[in-house]
Amino acid sequence: MDRVDTIVVGAGIAGLTAARLLTRSGRRVVVLEARDRIGGRVWSVREGGVVTDLGASWIHGVDGSPVAAAAAAFGLRTAEFTVGGYQPYSRPIAYYGPSGVRLTDDEVERFVADIEAVDAELARVVADFAPGRSYGEAVESALAAQGWEAERAERVREYLRHRTEEQYGVWIDELDAHGLDDDAIDGDEVVFPDGYDALATHLATGLDIRPGHVVTAVRWSSGGVEVTAGHGVFRAKFTADRAVVTVPVGVLKSAEFGIEPPLPEPVAGALARLEMNAFEKVFLGFSSKFWDEEVYAVRQQGPNGVWWHSWYDLTAVHGVPTLLTFAAGPAAKRTRGWEREKIVDSVLGELRRLYGDRVEDPVGVHVTSWQDDPCSRGSYAYMTVGAAPEDHDLLATPVGGVLHLAGEATWTDDPATVNAALRSGHRAACDVLGRSVPIEDVWATG
Ligand SMILES: Cc1cc2nc3c(=O)[nH]c(=O)nc-3n(C[C@H](O)[C@H](O)[C@H](O)COP(=O)(O)OP(=O)(O)OC[C@H]3O[C@@H](n4cnc5c(N)ncnc54)[C@H](O)[C@@H]3O)c2cc1C
């Protein structure tokens, strides 16, 4: 094919954003996408009238969010669901104690106050920690400062473990102490009842996207880039002045994705310090609702909740009784490769402990396997012990003036989100153009 101005690798939110802005600025752009669909880790499936988001679901705080602005401009329907960031009580939650008995309102209030006390101390501890110490260490230090008896401290320790797992899909001792620095939610959280994928569909309008193009090699030099897609007789080469590569960190690190010459510093070091996590979704649809009314989520404390501790009530969003839970961190690693039925039975065992025979077998199930997907190799990246928050931005340092990495892992302020993907795509487009363009251009339709 002819040489184009820019090759974008990956048609997720970062790639589509960059391609859209570059195309709007008059550049010839081709987007190479390995899968037969666009959206990447934004993936909505539709079955029997029910829309299920297997990847991202939430905008974690609509205030100042470009994703929220884009959704509004594209006319996408959203629904408030402010429990996505593992907050202790942003909206009503039914908490069950270790014995399986629901906590009273007073008990919940005291538990939430305990979490807030530790969180305040934790912020001070983390601020004093240099990179190289784990979040687990910081939590222990903040708990010790409270001087509580063992059981009281254990409930909060367990809560903070679960928050680490649900937020970053990693065991608490494997995350750098600064790995949750970005964990702020501004404004309500919302989800997309008609599917998050509509965002990708709107961003993709009018772009030259080539699905089924698995990129295996990117060669860069001062003269430009050469990108190889496919193998053997199905191999195709594309050349351009610049490339924007938006594949996830797990793909960037894999032997199947070659970059020649190898990435220089500071990009290589930053990449080495970020890892893909283990985080899977389990959706259970039921013919009737058996759990507590007027709560957004159900949580169980204690040893029974080591894996399955939180269920989110998606009934209002899905239109049928549905619970969402996560296999996050150790649970996702241990259940990797399990048959779907075995995972569902394991989750149902815990629900039956709380609700007894009222828990019927589910009528609709989705279990994700992002860890085994060669195009993602996990759900999103986390900061290993020793990484610094700035490693995210360092990963986007332009290489040789021709190669630009973008994607959720390249945005320091709010990594691991759709917001980060969109903002990183915007930054990559500005870097390629050599000038700034307003972020509002991402959702401009004219
Ligand atoms: C289970 C789950 C839950 C999540 N929940 C939320 C949430 O609630 N809110 C939130 O904001 N974020 C959430 N996220 C994170 C969010 O989905 C991602 O941060 C964001 O979608 C990443 O976009 P991206 O463009 O950086 O990467 P991707 O979406 O991964 O796009 C990269 C693209 O590159 C393609 N690709 C990969 N390898 C190749 C190759 N060799 N050749 C060509 N193309 C290739 C992929 O197919 C993909 O389309 C979640 C993610 C998962 C998986």
Side-chain angles (χ1 to χ4, degrees):
M1 73 171 279
D2 295 343
R3 188 181 171 99
V4 292
D5 295 320
T6 308
I7 296 166
V8 173
V9 182
I13 299 302
L16 294 172
T17 301
R20 186 174 166 87
L21 289 172
L22 291 169
T23 304
R24 275 179 70 84
S25 298
R27 301 294 168 103
R28 256 191 90 197
V29 180
V30 63
V31 183
L32 302 178
E33 168 55 51
R35 295 183 172 110
D36 59 4
R37 61 172 180 84
I38 62 166
R41 285 170 276 169
V42 168
W43 184 21
S44 318
V45 295
R46 293 166 177 81
E47 266 175 38
V50 177
V51 185
T52 305
D53 269 312
L54 299 177
S57 304
W58 274 274
I59 300 177
H60 292 299
V62 292
D63 292 358
S65 159
V67 176
F74 294 143
L76 310 186
R77 198 161 62 95
T78 55
E80 183 275 324
F81 201 67
T82 311
V83 287
Y86 211 73
Q87 299 158 71
Y89 208 76
S90 49
R91 293 291 186 276
I93 293 174
Y95 276 100
Y96 286 81
S99 64
V101 174
R102 186 168 170 181
L103 301 195
T104 63
D105 289 351
D106 282 352
E107 286 168 331
V108 172
E109 215 172 287
R110 283 201 295 276
F111 175 57
V112 171
D114 280 358
I115 292 167
E116 285 168 355
V118 175
D119 260 342
E121 179 63 18
L122 195 50
R124 286 189 283 273
V125 172
V126 168
D128 285 347
F129 269 22
R133 300 179 72 180
S134 76
Y135 196 71
E137 255 187 276
V139 164
E140 287 310 318
S141 176
L143 278 172
Q146 311 301 320
W148 291 337
E149 42 86 18
E151 174 69 14
R152 187 174 175 191
E154 181 55 22
R155 293 288 72 79
V156 177
R157 175 182 294 111
E158 153 194 286
Y159 174 88
L160 295 171
R161 267 185 202 146
H162 293 161
R163 184 171 72 189
T164 310
E165 289 161 8
E166 270 203 15
Q167 292 295 81
Y168 270 99
V170 62
W171 173 241
I172 197 160
D173 292 334
E174 291 170 16
L175 182 71
D176 190 89
H178 290 274
L180 282 163
D181 281 5
D182 62 288
D183 198 27
I185 301 222
D186 297 320
D188 281 349
E189 294 182 277
V190 299
V191 294
F192 293 80
D194 305 317
Y196 218 140
D197 64 348
L199 176 66
T201 306
H202 280 275
L203 291 175
T205 307
L207 300 181
D208 179 356
I209 300 172
R210 314 284 174 90
H213 281 68
V214 181
V215 169
T216 53
V218 176
R219 293 189 66 80
W220 59 275
S221 69
S222 56
V225 291
E226 181 188 85
V227 175
T228 307
H231 295 279
V233 287
F234 299 108
R235 195 158 64 171
K237 283 192 194 296
F238 299 80
T239 54
D241 296 342
R242 311 278 193 110
V244 177
V245 173
T246 72
V247 301
V249 157
V251 176
L252 274 179
K253 286 183 173 218
S254 77
E256 285 80 43
F257 195 92
I259 300 186
E260 271 302 319
L263 291 169
E265 291 298 340
V267 182
L271 181 60
R273 291 185 289 274
L274 298 171
E275 282 295 342
M276 287 309 270
N277 68 5
F279 180 78
E280 306 295 353
K281 286 181 160 182
V282 180
F283 295 87
L284 302 175
F286 295 94
S287 49
S288 63
K289 205 171 148 174
F290 54 81
W291 55 94
D292 306 75
E293 289 297 337
E294 291 169 12
V295 294
Y296 278 53
V298 173
R299 289 209 170 121
Q300 74 162 335
Q301 302 174 315
N304 283 83
V306 169
W307 284 5
W308 317 115
H309 47 79
S310 300
W311 291 269
Y312 298 91
D313 183 357
L314 297 184
T315 309
V317 184
H318 278 208
V320 292
T322 307
L323 291 175
L324 163 65
T325 190
F326 301 102
K333 286 188 173 171
R334 289 281 306 280
T335 56
R336 187 174 183 178
W338 280 21
E339 295 289 326
R340 196 175 78 152
E341 287 65 29
K342 190 171 169 189
I343 293 178
V344 171
D345 281 351
S346 177
V347 177
L348 288 178
E350 294 310 321
L351 284 171
R352 289 193 172 120
R353 180 175 166 269
L354 303 180
Y355 297 104
D357 293 345
R358 281 183 287 157
V359 183
E360 294 166 3
D361 285 341
V363 291
V365 172
H366 286 287
V367 180
T368 65
S369 49
W370 291 99
Q371 296 168 89
D372 296 314
D373 184 330
C375 295
S376 60
R377 298 169 188 258
S379 284
Y380 37 90
Y382 69 90
M383 287 167 50
T384 62
V385 177
E390 304 71 50
D391 281 332
H392 296 101
D393 281 343
L394 285 180
L395 197 54
T397 312
V399 175
V402 296
L403 176 59
H404 306 261
L405 300 189
E408 55 86 8
T410 70
W411 192 258
T412 294
D413 278 354
D414 188 18
T417 62
V418 176
N419 191 50
L422 189 149
R423 284 193 183 275
S424 75
H426 170 245
R427 176 183 52 200
C430 296
D431 285 348
V432 169
L433 293 168
R435 64 181 165 86
S436 71
V437 290
I439 195 157
E440 290 76 14
D441 280 8
V442 174
W443 50 90
T445 46

